[in-house]
Amino acid sequence: MTLVRTGDAKLIRELNKAIILDIIRKQGPISRAEISKIVQISPTTVASCINALMKDSLVMESGTGVSSGGRKPILVQLNPNDRFLIGVAVNASKITIAAFNLYANVQKKITHSLQNETYSDLSDFLITLLQDFLEDFDQKEDCLGISITFQGIVDADKGVVVYNPKLNMSNVSLKDKMEEALHIATYIDNDTNGSLLAEKGYGHYQQAKNLIYVTIGDGVGASVLVNDAIYRGYLGGAGEFGHTTINFNGPICECGNIGCLENYVSWQTIQSRIEEEMANGKKSTMSMWLKDNEQLTIEKFQQAVLQEDPLALVILDDVAFYLGIGLVNLINLFNPEKIIVGGELANDNPYFIRKLNEFVLKHSLETHTEKFAILPSSFGADSEVIGAASVLLHDLFHSTI
């Protein structure tokens, strides 16, 4: 690994620190000399960066290594629990807030439902939730930052939620609002970009350089990794996979278009179809929840799938068919190594993953499916909030993507 040495001196120092911190995270305990060999920069520069990282309580010394002839080297490793960060995942139905250490391990988590919530401004509501959450932490100055992910179009550089129709958000400068109220550095990004960063930083697919992450639940989104860099699009709007058209004779979407993929595979569509089919006399184990006036949730739908409920399986097969059409287009267009399917509908749902693999292997170009597979998220139900945390962690540990 060779660092580019041109440009602003302060920027180079920050890039050096990010690279060295990531080496320590992945390979620590490790000596300063070994780090110098790996990153190909001078021992003096490495020592200076490590001193700065130790001053920030991000790195600590941890014993000695094996001598190669002289004094035993002092090893350094990540100091994961001295500082913390907060990840916030916001979707149409709930807000999940979690505190993490530097290894992206959850230390505290709460979930707040938005199903029956009314608010004039989600920003103010979110600030109140975070203020309450932070009350449990004595040393708020030890918080490295807050990272928040949303569905829809997000300008990550400016920290603006550009377009989220489900939450009625348009050009909301959320980063500025949060930092003004909480006095903590805040990062904003699209939820699927966060999930992809989590896979690259901490998941099972860290070595992949051409990867697509698709999330399916309240909505449908995609994040595309091309040659080890996230493709964000001209204005940060890349990845609106749910608003690709699959049927010009289909229903009108909330985005204003006709026949969007999201209208065929989102949870709202599935829920409406279940209720319609049972109203027309179709038998299903899911009827017991409706009879008891319980809310029909994704988890209950998945339970019906595991029990091989005929109606649940028919509906899920249709969802796999329509989503499969979209995935075939992504495969033929981007030729990824893998597609990861996450989100509430895909979590703990091996039947769904199998059906998607069967469909895309049958309909995609053969040249694009050699050694290819659709795989589940590494993090299951925590994928959204770990994705949120990974936005900040990526900025801390990496100088690319």
Side-chain angles (χ1 to χ4, degrees):
M1 182 187 302
T2 304
L3 184 66
V4 177
R5 300 172 187 275
T6 59
D8 179 78
K10 182 179 179 181
L11 174 62
I12 291 174
R13 284 195 298 273
E14 292 304 312
L15 293 178
N16 280 335
K17 283 172 62 179
I19 291 171
I20 289 169
L21 186 60
D22 197 40
I23 292 293
I24 294 170
R25 175 178 74 92
K26 292 177 177 176
Q27 302 188 32
I30 187 172
S31 70
R32 292 165 174 81
E34 188 62 25
I35 294 171
S36 179
K37 290 178 184 177
I38 292 171
V39 299
Q40 298 179 29
I41 56 179
S42 72
T44 302
T45 299
V46 170
S48 175
C49 288
I50 289 176
N51 287 341
L53 292 169
M54 291 177 64
K55 185 177 179 180
D56 290 338
S57 298
L58 298 174
V59 166
M60 61 184 180
E61 293 183 337
S62 60
T64 57
V66 178
S67 171
S68 58
R71 296 169 60 183
K72 290 184 178 181
I74 297 174
L75 305 180
V76 291
Q77 69 177 48
L78 198 65
N79 186 13
N81 298 315
D82 201 65
R83 309 290 292 275
F84 71 96
L85 62 140
I86 294 174
V88 184
V90 183
N91 62 35
S93 59
K94 67 181 185 298
I95 296 173
T96 305
I97 303 175
F100 294 84
N101 71 4
L102 298 188
Y103 282 125
N105 295 324
V106 176
Q107 297 176 317
K108 176 191 175 185
K109 184 173 79 168
I110 65 167
T111 299
H112 189 96
S113 174
L114 294 178
Q115 295 286 4
N116 300 310
E117 199 68 57
T118 57
Y119 45 82
S120 57
D121 187 337
L122 182 65
S123 305
D124 295 336
F125 183 68
L126 192 53
I127 287 167
T128 300
L129 287 178
L130 282 164
Q131 287 172 332
D132 292 342
F133 187 83
L134 284 163
E135 285 299 315
D136 289 342
F137 296 88
D138 295 330
Q139 303 295 327
K140 295 180 181 62
E141 61 271 19
D142 290 337
C143 181
L144 291 170
I146 299 169
S147 54
I148 309 172
T149 56
F150 283 85
Q151 297 168 336
I153 299 173
V154 177
D155 186 328
D157 290 336
K158 295 180 181 179
V160 174
V161 180
V162 178
Y163 179 67
N164 185 312
K166 289 183 172 62
L167 296 172
N168 196 29
M169 299 178 74
S170 178
N171 292 315
V172 177
S173 299
L174 193 66
K175 172 182 168 67
D176 291 343
K177 288 186 176 185
M178 303 302 276
E179 291 182 343
E180 182 180 353
L182 301 173
H183 308 291
I184 299 174
T186 302
Y187 302 71
I188 314 291
D189 209 336
N190 170 267
D191 62 334
T192 316
N193 287 342
S195 295
L196 181 56
L197 290 174
E199 296 292 350
K200 280 293 293 179
Y202 302 93
H204 302 320
Y205 316 109
Q206 296 180 35
Q207 303 308 312
K209 296 184 181 300
N210 293 278
L211 189 66
I212 297 176
Y213 191 104
V214 170
T215 184
I216 177 169
D218 287 334
V220 183
S223 183
V224 182
L225 189 76
V226 180
N227 294 329
D228 225 15
I230 287 182
Y231 179 73
R232 294 180 177 273
Y234 174 51
L235 297 174
E240 286 300 303
F241 181 43
H243 296 292
T244 53
T245 300
I246 62 169
N247 182 5
F248 275 116
N249 295 315
I252 297 174
C253 181
E254 63 185 9
C255 74
N257 201 359
I258 295 173
C260 289
L261 174 63
E262 190 167 293
N263 289 332
Y264 293 85
V265 302
S266 70
W267 169 241
Q268 288 87 344
T269 299
I270 295 170
Q271 187 175 20
S272 296
R273 183 174 169 192
I274 292 169
E275 293 170 354
E276 180 183 345
E277 294 278 9
M278 287 195 293
N280 291 331
K282 289 290 177 65
K283 303 296 183 183
S284 171
T285 58
M286 293 180 284
S287 61
M288 62 182 177
W289 292 307
L290 294 179
K291 286 179 182 177
D292 294 336
N293 292 320
E294 291 185 42
Q295 185 176 5
L296 185 60
T297 63
I298 291 179
E299 291 76 19
K300 290 173 181 175
F301 175 68
Q302 289 177 322
Q303 183 180 334
V305 171
L306 288 173
Q307 294 171 349
E308 298 185 354
D309 177 83
L311 178 59
L313 291 178
V314 166
I315 292 175
L316 193 61
D317 285 349
D318 287 347
V319 171
F321 171 79
Y322 286 113
L323 183 61
I325 292 171
L327 295 179
V328 167
N329 290 332
L330 291 180
I331 292 165
N332 291 347
L333 184 62
F334 289 102
N335 187 205
E337 298 167 55
K338 300 173 178 66
I339 290 180
I340 303 167
V341 179
E344 292 176 304
L345 193 60
N347 294 335
D348 301 318
N349 197 339
Y351 178 88
F352 186 49
I353 299 296
R354 176 167 61 82
K355 283 292 181 178
L356 291 173
N357 272 295
E358 289 173 358
F359 186 92
V360 301
L361 290 176
K362 181 177 179 181
H363 296 284
S364 302
L365 291 171
E366 289 186 16
T367 54
H368 288 35
T369 54
E370 184 178 353
K371 299 182 180 179
F372 170 84
I374 293 172
L375 299 163
S377 164
S378 303
F379 305 105
D382 281 333
S383 59
E384 282 188 343
V385 73
I386 292 175
S390 295
V391 173
L392 191 159
L393 287 168
H394 180 267
D395 188 77
L396 181 68
F397 289 120
H398 298 279
S399 58
T400 57
I401 303 187

